[in-house]
Amino acid sequence: MDEHALFYRSSLLSRTLVAQQKDQDCPYPLTARIHGSSSLYAGSVSKAASLHWTGERVVSVLLLAMGPAAYYFPGPAVDYSLAAALTLHGHWGIGQVLTDYVHGEPKIKMVNAGLFLLSTVTFAGLCYFNYNDVGICKAVALLWSK
Amino acid sequence: MTFTRQGTCLFRPQFGILCRHAVPMGTTANEEMNTFWAKNNKLNRPMSPHLTIYKWSMPMMMSITHRGTGVGLSGGISAFALLALVLPGNYPYYLDLIHSLSVGPALLSLAKFGIAFPVSYHTLNGIRHLFWDSGKGFKIPEVYRSGYVVIVLSILTSIAAIAYM
Protein backbone atom coordinates (compact mmCIF):
# COMPACT_ATOMS: atom_id res chain seq x y z
CA MET A 1 0.00 0.00 0.00
CA ASP A 2 1.32 3.38 -0.88
CA GLU A 3 1.18 5.98 1.86
CA HIS A 4 0.98 8.70 -0.80
CA ALA A 5 -2.78 8.72 -1.10
CA LEU A 6 -3.76 9.85 -4.60
CA PHE A 7 -6.07 8.23 -7.08
CA TYR A 8 -6.92 8.99 -10.65
CA ARG A 9 -10.11 7.81 -12.24
CA SER A 10 -8.67 8.50 -15.65
CA SER A 11 -6.14 5.72 -15.08
CA LEU A 12 -9.03 3.23 -14.93
CA LEU A 13 -10.08 4.33 -18.37
CA SER A 14 -6.62 3.86 -19.84
CA ARG A 15 -6.39 0.44 -18.19
CA THR A 16 -9.56 -0.57 -20.02
CA LEU A 17 -7.93 0.60 -23.22
CA VAL A 18 -4.84 -1.51 -22.53
CA ALA A 19 -6.98 -4.58 -21.82
CA GLN A 20 -8.79 -4.16 -25.10
CA GLN A 21 -5.55 -3.86 -27.02
CA LYS A 22 -4.09 -6.97 -25.52
CA ASP A 23 -7.10 -9.01 -26.59
CA GLN A 24 -6.50 -8.28 -30.24
CA ASP A 25 -3.43 -8.66 -32.30
CA CYS A 26 -2.46 -5.07 -32.40
CA PRO A 27 0.16 -4.19 -34.95
CA TYR A 28 0.58 -0.64 -33.78
CA PRO A 29 2.50 0.52 -30.71
CA LEU A 30 0.23 1.63 -27.90
CA THR A 31 1.83 5.03 -27.64
CA ALA A 32 0.82 5.84 -31.21
CA ARG A 33 -2.84 5.70 -30.33
CA ILE A 34 -3.12 7.40 -27.00
CA HIS A 35 -2.23 11.02 -26.88
CA GLY A 36 -3.55 14.04 -25.10
CA SER A 37 -5.06 16.89 -27.00
CA SER A 38 -6.09 16.79 -30.63
CA SER A 39 -8.62 18.31 -32.96
CA LEU A 40 -11.22 15.76 -31.85
CA TYR A 41 -11.02 16.96 -28.25
CA ALA A 42 -13.68 19.31 -26.94
CA GLY A 43 -11.17 21.21 -24.80
CA SER A 44 -7.39 21.21 -24.41
CA VAL A 45 -5.34 19.84 -21.52
CA SER A 46 -2.91 22.14 -19.76
CA LYS A 47 0.71 21.03 -19.83
CA ALA A 48 1.42 22.79 -16.54
CA ALA A 49 1.56 19.61 -14.43
CA SER A 50 3.74 17.82 -16.95
CA LEU A 51 6.17 20.73 -17.22
CA HIS A 52 6.29 21.01 -13.44
CA TRP A 53 7.24 17.35 -13.19
CA THR A 54 10.03 17.78 -15.72
CA GLY A 55 11.21 20.94 -13.96
CA GLU A 56 11.44 19.03 -10.69
CA ARG A 57 13.67 16.36 -12.26
CA VAL A 58 15.87 18.96 -13.97
CA VAL A 59 16.46 20.82 -10.68
CA SER A 60 17.16 17.49 -8.94
CA VAL A 61 19.87 16.62 -11.47
CA LEU A 62 21.36 20.13 -11.25
CA LEU A 63 21.45 19.89 -7.47
CA LEU A 64 23.19 16.52 -7.76
CA ALA A 65 25.87 18.10 -9.95
CA MET A 66 26.41 20.86 -7.40
CA GLY A 67 27.75 18.40 -4.84
CA PRO A 68 31.06 17.78 -6.62
CA ALA A 69 31.00 21.38 -7.87
CA ALA A 70 30.91 22.65 -4.28
CA TYR A 71 33.69 20.29 -3.28
CA TYR A 72 36.06 21.03 -6.16
CA PHE A 73 35.16 24.65 -6.99
CA PRO A 74 33.94 26.35 -3.81
CA GLY A 75 33.13 30.03 -4.24
CA PRO A 76 30.35 32.55 -4.79
CA ALA A 77 29.15 31.07 -8.08
CA VAL A 78 28.45 27.70 -6.48
CA ASP A 79 27.22 29.38 -3.28
CA TYR A 80 24.45 31.28 -5.04
CA SER A 81 23.62 28.38 -7.38
CA LEU A 82 23.33 26.14 -4.35
CA ALA A 83 21.09 28.66 -2.60
CA ALA A 84 18.76 28.76 -5.60
CA ALA A 85 18.72 25.02 -6.30
CA LEU A 86 18.31 24.00 -2.66
CA THR A 87 15.47 26.45 -2.10
CA LEU A 88 13.62 25.49 -5.28
CA HIS A 89 14.07 21.75 -4.75
CA GLY A 90 12.87 22.08 -1.15
CA HIS A 91 9.97 24.33 -2.15
CA TRP A 92 8.69 21.88 -4.74
CA GLY A 93 9.34 18.92 -2.45
CA ILE A 94 7.37 20.34 0.46
CA GLY A 95 4.71 21.37 -2.07
CA GLN A 96 4.23 17.71 -3.00
CA VAL A 97 3.98 16.72 0.67
CA LEU A 98 1.30 19.37 1.22
CA THR A 99 -0.58 18.24 -1.89
CA ASP A 100 -0.62 14.70 -0.54
CA TYR A 101 -1.87 15.46 2.96
CA VAL A 102 -3.83 18.72 2.82
CA HIS A 103 -7.32 18.62 1.33
CA GLY A 104 -9.98 21.23 0.65
CA GLU A 105 -9.54 24.35 -1.45
CA PRO A 106 -9.18 26.98 1.32
CA LYS A 107 -6.70 24.90 3.34
CA ILE A 108 -4.63 24.11 0.25
CA LYS A 109 -4.43 27.79 -0.66
CA MET A 110 -3.41 28.74 2.87
CA VAL A 111 -0.60 26.23 3.31
CA ASN A 112 0.77 26.94 -0.14
CA ALA A 113 0.88 30.65 0.68
CA GLY A 114 2.73 29.82 3.89
CA LEU A 115 5.17 27.65 1.99
CA PHE A 116 5.80 30.39 -0.53
CA LEU A 117 6.59 32.78 2.31
CA LEU A 118 8.93 30.26 3.93
CA SER A 119 10.78 29.58 0.69
CA THR A 120 11.17 33.28 -0.02
CA VAL A 121 12.63 33.91 3.44
CA THR A 122 14.87 30.84 3.05
CA PHE A 123 16.28 32.06 -0.25
CA ALA A 124 16.72 35.58 1.14
CA GLY A 125 18.51 34.22 4.18
CA LEU A 126 20.84 32.03 2.16
CA CYS A 127 21.72 34.88 -0.20
CA TYR A 128 22.28 37.16 2.80
CA PHE A 129 24.57 34.51 4.26
CA ASN A 130 26.45 34.21 0.98
CA TYR A 131 26.87 37.96 0.71
CA ASN A 132 27.54 39.01 4.29
CA ASP A 133 29.05 35.90 5.78
CA VAL A 134 31.38 33.09 4.74
CA GLY A 135 29.05 31.51 2.17
CA ILE A 136 27.54 28.00 1.98
CA CYS A 137 30.61 26.09 0.72
CA LYS A 138 32.92 27.63 3.33
CA ALA A 139 30.31 27.09 6.04
CA VAL A 140 30.14 23.35 5.35
CA ALA A 141 33.94 23.13 5.21
CA LEU A 142 34.28 24.95 8.55
CA LEU A 143 31.56 22.89 10.17
CA TRP A 144 33.26 19.65 9.17
CA SER A 145 36.74 20.76 10.20
CA LYS A 146 35.64 20.61 13.84
CA MET B 1 -12.68 -3.44 -32.47
CA THR B 2 -10.89 -0.19 -32.62
CA PHE B 3 -7.72 -0.06 -34.64
CA THR B 4 -6.11 3.29 -34.73
CA ARG B 5 -3.18 4.86 -36.42
CA GLN B 6 -2.04 8.41 -36.65
CA GLY B 7 -4.48 10.19 -38.90
CA THR B 8 -7.11 7.46 -39.18
CA CYS B 9 -9.83 6.43 -36.84
CA LEU B 10 -12.13 3.45 -37.17
CA PHE B 11 -14.76 3.50 -34.54
CA ARG B 12 -17.28 0.79 -33.71
CA PRO B 13 -20.07 2.54 -31.82
CA GLN B 14 -21.55 -0.64 -30.34
CA PHE B 15 -18.41 -1.18 -28.24
CA GLY B 16 -18.75 2.35 -26.96
CA ILE B 17 -15.07 2.46 -26.26
CA LEU B 18 -12.39 4.60 -27.60
CA CYS B 19 -11.46 6.18 -30.80
CA ARG B 20 -7.91 7.38 -31.20
CA HIS B 21 -7.78 8.74 -27.67
CA ALA B 22 -9.52 8.45 -24.33
CA VAL B 23 -12.97 9.92 -23.86
CA PRO B 24 -12.44 13.38 -22.39
CA MET B 25 -13.29 13.38 -18.69
CA GLY B 26 -15.90 15.83 -17.49
CA THR B 27 -13.78 16.66 -14.43
CA THR B 28 -10.08 16.86 -13.76
CA ALA B 29 -8.29 14.58 -11.32
CA ASN B 30 -8.00 17.53 -8.93
CA GLU B 31 -11.71 18.21 -9.04
CA GLU B 32 -12.45 14.54 -8.40
CA MET B 33 -10.12 14.45 -5.41
CA ASN B 34 -11.64 17.60 -3.92
CA THR B 35 -15.14 16.20 -4.39
CA PHE B 36 -14.11 12.99 -2.63
CA TRP B 37 -12.69 14.81 0.37
CA ALA B 38 -15.52 17.33 0.58
CA LYS B 39 -18.14 14.58 0.59
CA ASN B 40 -16.43 12.35 3.10
CA ASN B 41 -15.52 15.19 5.44
CA LYS B 42 -19.06 16.53 5.31
CA LEU B 43 -20.50 13.14 6.18
CA ASN B 44 -17.92 12.97 9.02
CA ARG B 45 -16.81 9.56 7.91
CA PRO B 46 -13.89 8.02 9.78
CA MET B 47 -10.95 6.93 7.66
CA SER B 48 -10.35 3.22 7.24
CA PRO B 49 -7.25 2.00 9.08
CA HIS B 50 -4.30 1.76 6.72
CA LEU B 51 -0.85 2.42 8.17
CA THR B 52 -1.78 0.68 11.40
CA ILE B 53 -2.95 -2.55 9.82
CA TYR B 54 -1.04 -3.17 6.60
CA LYS B 55 2.23 -5.04 6.74
CA TRP B 56 5.15 -2.65 6.35
CA SER B 57 7.54 -3.45 3.54
CA MET B 58 11.07 -2.28 2.87
CA PRO B 59 10.09 -0.12 -0.12
CA MET B 60 7.38 1.52 2.01
CA MET B 61 9.83 2.32 4.79
CA MET B 62 12.42 3.64 2.39
CA SER B 63 9.83 5.80 0.70
CA ILE B 64 8.65 7.48 3.87
CA THR B 65 12.25 7.83 5.05
CA HIS B 66 13.01 9.62 1.79
CA ARG B 67 10.15 11.97 2.52
CA GLY B 68 11.16 12.35 6.17
CA THR B 69 14.79 13.17 5.39
CA GLY B 70 13.64 15.59 2.70
CA VAL B 71 11.33 17.46 5.04
CA GLY B 72 13.95 17.40 7.80
CA LEU B 73 16.73 18.71 5.58
CA SER B 74 14.47 21.39 4.12
CA GLY B 75 13.46 22.47 7.60
CA GLY B 76 17.09 22.56 8.64
CA ILE B 77 18.04 24.74 5.69
CA SER B 78 15.15 27.11 6.36
CA ALA B 79 16.06 27.30 10.03
CA PHE B 80 19.67 28.07 9.09
CA ALA B 81 18.58 30.80 6.67
CA LEU B 82 16.24 32.34 9.25
CA LEU B 83 18.93 32.36 11.91
CA ALA B 84 21.36 33.96 9.47
CA LEU B 85 18.88 36.81 8.99
CA VAL B 86 17.95 37.22 12.62
CA LEU B 87 21.05 36.53 14.74
CA PRO B 88 23.73 39.17 15.26
CA GLY B 89 27.34 38.14 14.74
CA ASN B 90 28.72 35.93 12.02
CA TYR B 91 29.03 32.21 11.37
CA PRO B 92 32.59 31.65 12.69
CA TYR B 93 31.50 33.32 15.93
CA TYR B 94 28.71 30.83 16.50
CA LEU B 95 30.89 27.93 15.40
CA ASP B 96 33.45 28.90 18.04
CA LEU B 97 30.62 29.15 20.53
CA ILE B 98 29.68 25.55 19.82
CA HIS B 99 33.34 24.48 19.95
CA SER B 100 33.72 26.04 23.38
CA LEU B 101 30.98 23.79 24.71
CA SER B 102 33.58 20.95 24.43
CA VAL B 103 31.06 18.30 23.55
CA GLY B 104 33.42 15.33 23.28
CA PRO B 105 34.37 13.21 20.25
CA ALA B 106 31.61 10.62 20.55
CA LEU B 107 28.80 13.15 20.62
CA LEU B 108 30.53 15.15 17.90
CA SER B 109 30.64 12.13 15.59
CA LEU B 110 27.04 11.39 16.40
CA ALA B 111 26.03 14.91 15.48
CA LYS B 112 27.99 14.72 12.23
CA PHE B 113 26.33 11.41 11.43
CA GLY B 114 22.99 13.02 12.19
CA ILE B 115 23.66 15.54 9.44
CA ALA B 116 25.57 13.34 7.01
CA PHE B 117 23.14 10.39 6.96
CA PRO B 118 20.00 12.30 5.93
CA VAL B 119 21.96 14.07 3.20
CA SER B 120 23.51 10.83 2.03
CA TYR B 121 20.32 8.77 2.15
CA HIS B 122 18.15 11.39 0.48
CA THR B 123 20.73 11.92 -2.26
CA LEU B 124 21.28 8.23 -3.00
CA ASN B 125 17.60 7.35 -2.81
CA GLY B 126 16.97 10.42 -4.96
CA ILE B 127 19.19 8.90 -7.65
CA ARG B 128 17.18 5.68 -7.31
CA HIS B 129 14.04 7.75 -7.87
CA LEU B 130 15.54 9.30 -11.00
CA PHE B 131 16.20 5.82 -12.38
CA TRP B 132 12.54 5.01 -11.81
CA ASP B 133 11.61 8.25 -13.56
CA SER B 134 13.53 7.05 -16.60
CA GLY B 135 11.43 3.87 -16.52
CA LYS B 136 14.04 1.49 -15.17
CA GLY B 137 14.18 -0.84 -12.21
CA PHE B 138 10.52 -1.46 -11.40
CA LYS B 139 10.62 -5.23 -11.10
CA ILE B 140 10.09 -6.15 -7.47
CA PRO B 141 13.48 -7.90 -6.99
CA GLU B 142 15.15 -4.85 -8.56
CA VAL B 143 13.30 -2.53 -6.20
CA TYR B 144 14.52 -4.46 -3.18
CA ARG B 145 18.05 -4.81 -4.53
CA SER B 146 18.46 -1.12 -5.33
CA GLY B 147 16.93 -0.36 -1.96
CA TYR B 148 19.52 -2.37 -0.06
CA VAL B 149 22.30 -0.78 -2.13
CA VAL B 150 21.04 2.69 -1.17
CA ILE B 151 20.88 1.82 2.53
CA VAL B 152 24.35 0.27 2.64
CA LEU B 153 25.94 3.07 0.62
CA SER B 154 24.25 5.71 2.74
CA ILE B 155 25.70 4.26 5.92
CA LEU B 156 29.13 3.78 4.38
CA THR B 157 29.37 7.26 2.90
CA SER B 158 28.16 8.84 6.14
CA ILE B 159 30.82 6.98 8.12
CA ALA B 160 33.42 7.92 5.50
CA ALA B 161 32.40 11.57 5.74
CA ILE B 162 32.90 11.49 9.50
CA ALA B 163 36.12 9.54 9.55
CA TYR B 164 37.84 11.02 6.54
CA MET B 165 37.31 14.75 6.79
Side-chain angles (χ1 to χ4, degrees):
Chain A
M1 191 216 120
D2 192 345
E3 67 274 11
H4 312 307
L6 290 173
F7 72 94
Y8 294 99
R9 236 176 72 183
S10 49
S11 69
L12 287 174
L13 209 58
S14 46
R15 259 185 261 146
T16 317
L17 173 69
V18 172
Q20 297 286 356
Q21 305 296 11
K22 285 208 163 93
D23 288 335
Q24 324 296 323
D25 205 354
C26 71
Y28 308 105
L30 211 59
T31 46
R33 326 167 134 74
I34 306 164
H35 72 127
S37 299
S38 84
S39 48
L40 288 171
Y41 240 103
S44 61
V45 180
S46 165
K47 288 194 81 175
S50 171
L51 291 171
H52 183 255
W53 187 92
T54 308
E56 286 179 324
R57 316 299 127 160
V58 166
V59 169
S60 297
V61 172
L62 286 173
L63 192 54
L64 221 53
M66 283 187 214
Y71 186 78
Y72 291 111
F73 310 107
V78 177
D79 279 341
Y80 286 100
S81 307
L82 218 47
L86 277 170
T87 314
L88 193 53
H89 183 74
H91 178 76
W92 279 341
I94 303 290
Q96 293 290 359
V97 176
L98 296 178
T99 307
D100 276 353
Y101 302 139
V102 177
H103 308 286
E105 270 290 345
K107 274 194 264 179
I108 293 173
K109 280 208 174 104
M110 219 164 43
V111 293
N112 275 112
L115 174 63
F116 197 85
L117 188 65
L118 180 67
S119 297
T120 308
V121 173
T122 302
F123 185 59
L126 290 176
C127 286
Y128 177 85
F129 186 80
N130 283 336
Y131 191 80
N132 291 303
D133 213 316
V134 296
I136 297 176
C137 296
K138 190 83 186 132
V140 175
L142 285 174
L143 181 71
W144 227 251
S145 68
K146 260 199 224 182
Chain B
M1 202 32 224
T2 56
F3 289 107
T4 62
R5 175 173 45 197
Q6 290 281 29
T8 63
C9 181
L10 300 167
F11 181 50
R12 292 273 184 86
Q14 63 259 42
F15 287 98
I17 309 273
L18 315 140
C19 192
R20 60 188 291 194
H21 39 241
V23 176
M25 297 290 289
T27 53
T28 63
N30 245 321
E31 288 163 0
E32 301 245 348
M33 286 192 281
N34 287 335
T35 314
F36 170 87
W37 284 107
K39 182 174 92 171
N40 285 286
N41 282 330
K42 180 160 159 263
L43 292 168
N44 257 319
R45 283 178 177 167
M47 205 188 260
S48 300
H50 48 311
L51 297 174
T52 46
I53 57 166
Y54 290 150
K55 181 174 182 175
W56 279 88
S57 64
M58 223 266 282
M60 267 172 86
M61 291 191 261
M62 289 194 70
S63 177
I64 194 62
T65 307
H66 188 79
R67 179 159 273 194
T69 52
V71 173
L73 288 168
S74 195
I77 290 171
S78 289
F80 177 81
L82 255 131
L83 290 175
L85 285 171
V86 162
L87 291 176
N90 65 357
Y91 182 76
Y93 167 75
Y94 288 104
L95 214 55
D96 290 334
L97 209 67
I98 299 171
H99 281 195
S100 67
L101 292 175
S102 46
V103 193
L107 226 61
L108 216 66
S109 293
L110 198 67
K112 281 190 184 175
F113 189 81
I115 297 174
F117 184 76
V119 173
S120 183
Y121 178 88
H122 192 84
T123 305
L124 289 166
N125 201 227
I127 296 172
R128 182 167 169 242
H129 262 285
L130 289 171
F131 270 102
W132 289 335
D133 290 335
S134 74
K136 299 199 195 28
F138 277 109
K139 294 204 187 73
I140 294 298
E142 291 173 330
V143 171
Y144 277 82
R145 208 176 307 137
S146 63
Y148 285 122
V149 168
V150 165
I151 292 175
V152 169
L153 282 180
S154 298
I155 297 174
L156 289 179
T157 50
S158 303
I159 294 175
I162 299 169
Y164 160 73
M165 288 199 204

PDB file of all heavy atoms in Angstrom, chain A residues 27-39:
ATOM      1  N   PRO A  27      -1.100  -4.411 -34.233  1.00  0.00           N
ATOM      2  CA  PRO A  27       0.160  -4.194 -34.954  1.00  0.00           C
ATOM      3  C   PRO A  27       0.789  -2.848 -34.670  1.00  0.00           C
ATOM      4  O   PRO A  27       1.913  -2.602 -35.060  1.00  0.00           O
ATOM      5  CB  PRO A  27      -0.265  -4.280 -36.424  1.00  0.00           C
ATOM      6  CG  PRO A  27      -1.692  -3.830 -36.431  1.00  0.00           C
ATOM      7  CD  PRO A  27      -2.269  -4.197 -35.107  1.00  0.00           C
ATOM      8  N   TYR A  28       0.059  -1.979 -33.982  1.00  0.00           N
ATOM      9  CA  TYR A  28       0.579  -0.639 -33.779  1.00  0.00           C
ATOM     10  C   TYR A  28       0.989  -0.465 -32.330  1.00  0.00           C
ATOM     11  O   TYR A  28       0.335  -0.965 -31.445  1.00  0.00           O
ATOM     12  CB  TYR A  28      -0.478   0.412 -34.144  1.00  0.00           C
ATOM     13  CG  TYR A  28      -1.054   0.198 -35.507  1.00  0.00           C
ATOM     14  CD1 TYR A  28      -2.326  -0.328 -35.669  1.00  0.00           C
ATOM     15  CD2 TYR A  28      -0.296   0.491 -36.634  1.00  0.00           C
ATOM     16  CE1 TYR A  28      -2.841  -0.528 -36.917  1.00  0.00           C
ATOM     17  CE2 TYR A  28      -0.820   0.277 -37.892  1.00  0.00           C
ATOM     18  CZ  TYR A  28      -2.085  -0.231 -38.037  1.00  0.00           C
ATOM     19  OH  TYR A  28      -2.609  -0.437 -39.283  1.00  0.00           O
ATOM     20  N   PRO A  29       2.092   0.280 -32.103  1.00  0.00           N
ATOM     21  CA  PRO A  29       2.497   0.517 -30.709  1.00  0.00           C
ATOM     22  C   PRO A  29       1.432   1.322 -29.972  1.00  0.00           C
ATOM     23  O   PRO A  29       0.775   2.165 -30.553  1.00  0.00           O
ATOM     24  CB  PRO A  29       3.793   1.319 -30.841  1.00  0.00           C
ATOM     25  CG  PRO A  29       3.751   1.879 -32.220  1.00  0.00           C
ATOM     26  CD  PRO A  29       2.982   0.937 -33.047  1.00  0.00           C
ATOM     27  N   LEU A  30       1.275   1.001 -28.710  1.00  0.00           N
ATOM     28  CA  LEU A  30       0.227   1.631 -27.896  1.00  0.00           C
ATOM     29  C   LEU A  30       0.367   3.147 -27.864  1.00  0.00           C
ATOM     30  O   LEU A  30      -0.603   3.875 -27.894  1.00  0.00           O
ATOM     31  CB  LEU A  30       0.310   1.078 -26.474  1.00  0.00           C
ATOM     32  CG  LEU A  30      -1.023   0.998 -25.714  1.00  0.00           C
ATOM     33  CD1 LEU A  30      -1.995   0.123 -26.454  1.00  0.00           C
ATOM     34  CD2 LEU A  30      -0.774   0.427 -24.340  1.00  0.00           C
ATOM     35  N   THR A  31       1.615   3.599 -27.798  1.00  0.00           N
ATOM     36  CA  THR A  31       1.827   5.031 -27.645  1.00  0.00           C
ATOM     37  C   THR A  31       1.357   5.797 -28.865  1.00  0.00           C
ATOM     38  O   THR A  31       1.065   6.982 -28.795  1.00  0.00           O
ATOM     39  CB  THR A  31       3.305   5.339 -27.420  1.00  0.00           C
ATOM     40  OG1 THR A  31       4.057   4.593 -28.364  1.00  0.00           O
ATOM     41  CG2 THR A  31       3.716   4.939 -26.017  1.00  0.00           C
ATOM     42  N   ALA A  32       1.242   5.126 -30.004  1.00  0.00           N
ATOM     43  CA  ALA A  32       0.819   5.836 -31.205  1.00  0.00           C
ATOM     44  C   ALA A  32      -0.654   6.182 -31.138  1.00  0.00           C
ATOM     45  O   ALA A  32      -1.111   7.112 -31.776  1.00  0.00           O
ATOM     46  CB  ALA A  32       1.102   4.985 -32.432  1.00  0.00           C
ATOM     47  N   ARG A  33      -1.424   5.430 -30.339  1.00  0.00           N
ATOM     48  CA  ARG A  33      -2.841   5.700 -30.331  1.00  0.00           C
ATOM     49  C   ARG A  33      -3.269   6.674 -29.262  1.00  0.00           C
ATOM     50  O   ARG A  33      -4.207   7.408 -29.460  1.00  0.00           O
ATOM     51  CB  ARG A  33      -3.670   4.453 -30.043  1.00  0.00           C
ATOM     52  CG  ARG A  33      -3.182   3.194 -30.541  1.00  0.00           C
ATOM     53  CD  ARG A  33      -3.988   2.132 -29.837  1.00  0.00           C
ATOM     54  NE  ARG A  33      -4.423   1.149 -30.788  1.00  0.00           N
ATOM     55  CZ  ARG A  33      -3.612   0.262 -31.301  1.00  0.00           C
ATOM     56  NH1 ARG A  33      -2.348   0.284 -30.993  1.00  0.00           N
ATOM     57  NH2 ARG A  33      -4.042  -0.640 -32.142  1.00  0.00           N
ATOM     58  N   ILE A  34      -2.627   6.590 -28.102  1.00  0.00           N
ATOM     59  CA  ILE A  34      -3.116   7.396 -26.996  1.00  0.00           C
ATOM     60  C   ILE A  34      -2.303   8.669 -26.921  1.00  0.00           C
ATOM     61  O   ILE A  34      -1.107   8.639 -26.716  1.00  0.00           O
ATOM     62  CB  ILE A  34      -2.943   6.650 -25.656  1.00  0.00           C
ATOM     63  CG1 ILE A  34      -3.618   5.277 -25.761  1.00  0.00           C
ATOM     64  CG2 ILE A  34      -3.535   7.454 -24.531  1.00  0.00           C
ATOM     65  CD1 ILE A  34      -3.177   4.356 -24.669  1.00  0.00           C
ATOM     66  N   HIS A  35      -2.923   9.773 -27.131  1.00  0.00           N
ATOM     67  CA  HIS A  35      -2.233  11.020 -26.876  1.00  0.00           C
ATOM     68  C   HIS A  35      -3.224  12.054 -26.410  1.00  0.00           C
ATOM     69  O   HIS A  35      -4.416  11.888 -26.536  1.00  0.00           O
ATOM     70  CB  HIS A  35      -1.423  11.460 -28.093  1.00  0.00           C
ATOM     71  CG  HIS A  35      -2.262  11.943 -29.238  1.00  0.00           C
ATOM     72  ND1 HIS A  35      -2.079  13.149 -29.832  1.00  0.00           N
ATOM     73  CD2 HIS A  35      -3.292  11.383 -29.893  1.00  0.00           C
ATOM     74  CE1 HIS A  35      -2.948  13.309 -30.804  1.00  0.00           C
ATOM     75  NE2 HIS A  35      -3.683  12.245 -30.868  1.00  0.00           N
ATOM     76  N   GLY A  36      -2.726  13.076 -25.828  1.00  0.00           N
ATOM     77  CA  GLY A  36      -3.553  14.042 -25.095  1.00  0.00           C
ATOM     78  C   GLY A  36      -4.498  14.822 -25.964  1.00  0.00           C
ATOM     79  O   GLY A  36      -5.541  14.340 -26.373  1.00  0.00           O
ATOM     80  N   SER A  37      -4.124  16.024 -26.278  1.00  0.00           N
ATOM     81  CA  SER A  37      -5.058  16.890 -27.003  1.00  0.00           C
ATOM     82  C   SER A  37      -4.979  16.655 -28.496  1.00  0.00           C
ATOM     83  O   SER A  37      -3.946  16.323 -29.028  1.00  0.00           O
ATOM     84  CB  SER A  37      -4.715  18.347 -26.748  1.00  0.00           C
ATOM     85  OG  SER A  37      -4.830  18.627 -25.389  1.00  0.00           O
ATOM     86  N   SER A  38      -6.095  16.822 -29.167  1.00  0.00           N
ATOM     87  CA  SER A  38      -6.086  16.789 -30.625  1.00  0.00           C
ATOM     88  C   SER A  38      -7.312  17.536 -31.111  1.00  0.00           C
ATOM     89  O   SER A  38      -8.090  18.040 -30.331  1.00  0.00           O
ATOM     90  CB  SER A  38      -6.104  15.356 -31.151  1.00  0.00           C
ATOM     91  OG  SER A  38      -7.431  14.907 -31.194  1.00  0.00           O
ATOM     92  N   SER A  39      -7.501  17.564 -32.404  1.00  0.00           N
ATOM     93  CA  SER A  39      -8.623  18.314 -32.962  1.00  0.00           C
ATOM     94  C   SER A  39      -9.954  17.697 -32.563  1.00  0.00           C
ATOM     95  O   SER A  39     -10.982  18.354 -32.550  1.00  0.00           O
ATOM     96  CB  SER A  39      -8.511  18.361 -34.484  1.00  0.00           C
ATOM     97  OG  SER A  39      -8.254  17.057 -34.966  1.00  0.00           O
TER      98      SER A  39
END
